[in-house]
Structures are given as structure tokens and as C-alpha cells.
């Protein structure tokens, strides 16, 4: 009579190995999804920090220079400085206001707030293309206001491309790790089955 253990043991082992492979696959897929989400969130945070840092540094420098130019009351210098700010690809418009909020200098092709948000008749809402920074210009007292419309994509795109390349490499490495894990698990399963075939009960 055939020993039932000799038949059942390999069958149980085969099922166990298959379940083990499925379990490992599920865990690896979960890890990939989790790591991908975390990586995407980290990339967004890095982009926002980069944009905020560069924009705030530029605006702060522009405000400090505007303070000096406002003190001279030279309209021509004020106009030239507003135009010079837009020489940077990141700045679409630069506008200078006095204490009462009256526009006293601006870059070429500037738009009012109503035109920017499409409120003025015949205008379109272009606010999504820019991020508006409006800052007070202060010495011992309030001297005026500076408004800059910054093109976000100009500051973000280079870093975004770099992060995209890093994320693609990260995904490829994860896929290689999954494939390696699958092959190792499959090889381990075959080795276990071969071992069972050779070791038989007397």
C-alpha cells in the first residue's frame, strides 16, 4: 500500500509554494504603489519649495531696489527698472504703485488686475499662466507697492524634467526588483520540488 504521506506532502508543498509566490507578488506590488505615491508627493513638495524659494528671493531683491528708485522720484528710472525686471524669462509683468495704489511705472504690455482675471470687457482670464506677487515697499514708512506676475513653468520645468527622469529610473529599478524577486521565488519553488522528488520514504 502506498504511503499517503508520500503523495500528500508534495501536493501540499506545491500549493504552499504557489501561495508564497502570490503573497510575495502582492507585497511587492503594494510596495511599488506605495513608493510611487510617496515619490510623486515628494516631487510635488520639492517643486513647490523650489518655486517659492526662487520667486521669493527674486521678489525680495526687486523690492529692495524699488525702495531706492522710489526715493529718487525719477519717473524714467522707475519705468526703466520695471522694464528691466521683465528681461528675466520668469517675469511676465512688473508694476509699481504709489502709497495710494496709483500705478506710476510698469513694464511694456502690462495688464491691470481686471484684465489679468478677465473682468475687464474684452479681456480673457490669463491668471492661471502666472503667479502674482504683490509686496509692500517700506523704509521707515510705506513707500508703495510692487506687483510681479511670475511665469511658474519657467522656474519649475527644468526641475520637473529632472525629477521626471529620476522617477522613471526609480520605476525601472522597482520593476527589475519585482522581476528578480519573482524569478528567485520561482527558482526556490522548483528547487524545493526537485528535493522532494529525490527524497522518498522507504
Amino acid at each position: 500500500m502506498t504511503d499517503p504521506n508520500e503523495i500528500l506532502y508534495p501536493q501540499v508543498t506545491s500549493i504552499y509554494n504557489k501561495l508564497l509566490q502570490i503573497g510575495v507578488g502582492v507585497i511587492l506590488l503594494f510596495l511599488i504603489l506605495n513608493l510611487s505615491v510617496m515619490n510623486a508627493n515628494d516631487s510635488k513638495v520639492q517643486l513647490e519649495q523650489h518655486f517659492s524659494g526662487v520667486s521669493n528671493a527674486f521678489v525680495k531683491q526687486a523690492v529692495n531696489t524699488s525702495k531706492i528708485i522710489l526715493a529718487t522720484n525719477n519717473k524714467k528710472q522707475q519705468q526703466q527698472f520695471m522694464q528691466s525686471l521683465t528681461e528675466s524669462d520668469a517675469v511676465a509683468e512688473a508694476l509699481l504703485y504709489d502709497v495710494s495704489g496709483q500705478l506710476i511705472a510698469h513694464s511694456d504690455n502690462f495688464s491691470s488686475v481686471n484684465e489679468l482675471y478677465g473682468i475687464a470687457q474684452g479681456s480673457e482670464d490669463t491668471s492661471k499662466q502666472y503667479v502674482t506677487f504683490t509686496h509692500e515697499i517700506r523704509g521707515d514708512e510705506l513707500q508703495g507697492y510692487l506687483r510681479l506676475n511670475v511665469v511658474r513653468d519657467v522656474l519649475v520645468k527644468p526641475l520637473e524634467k529632472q525629477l521626471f527622469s529620476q522617477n522613471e529610473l526609480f520605476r525601472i529599478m522597482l520593476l527589475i526588483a519585482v522581476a528578480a524577486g519573482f524569478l528567485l521565488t520561482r527558482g526556490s519553488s522548483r528547487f524545493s520540488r526537485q528535493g522532494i522528488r529525490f527524497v522518498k520514504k522507504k
Side-chain angles (χ1 to χ4, degrees), residues 51-146:
F51 176 73
S52 297
V54 174
S55 298
N56 288 326
F58 185 89
V59 172
K60 185 177 180 180
Q61 184 178 2
V63 168
N64 290 335
T65 307
S66 298
K67 188 188 304 182
I68 298 170
I69 291 177
L70 269 176
T72 64
N73 288 321
N74 188 318
K75 300 293 183 183
K76 186 177 180 180
Q77 282 187 353
Q78 293 169 0
Q79 187 69 29
Q80 288 175 343
F81 178 61
M82 291 299 103
Q83 185 59 34
S84 70
L85 289 174
T86 58
E87 290 177 1
S88 168
D89 293 335
V91 181
E93 300 173 354
L95 301 94
L96 187 64
Y97 301 88
D98 63 14
V99 179
S100 63
Q102 293 296 315
L103 183 64
I104 57 177
H106 57 79
S107 58
D108 295 341
N109 300 322
F110 79 100
S111 59
S112 65
V113 175
N114 289 341
E115 290 172 336
L116 179 66
Y117 288 95
I119 299 173
Q121 187 175 3
S123 63
E124 296 181 1
D125 185 2
T126 57
S127 59
K128 292 181 180 179
Q129 301 175 19
Y130 314 116
V131 177
T132 301
F133 291 86
T134 303
H135 281 258
E136 292 182 346
I137 302 171
R138 284 186 174 274
D140 295 331
E141 57 185 18
L142 181 64
Q143 294 177 286
Y145 303 90
L146 176 67

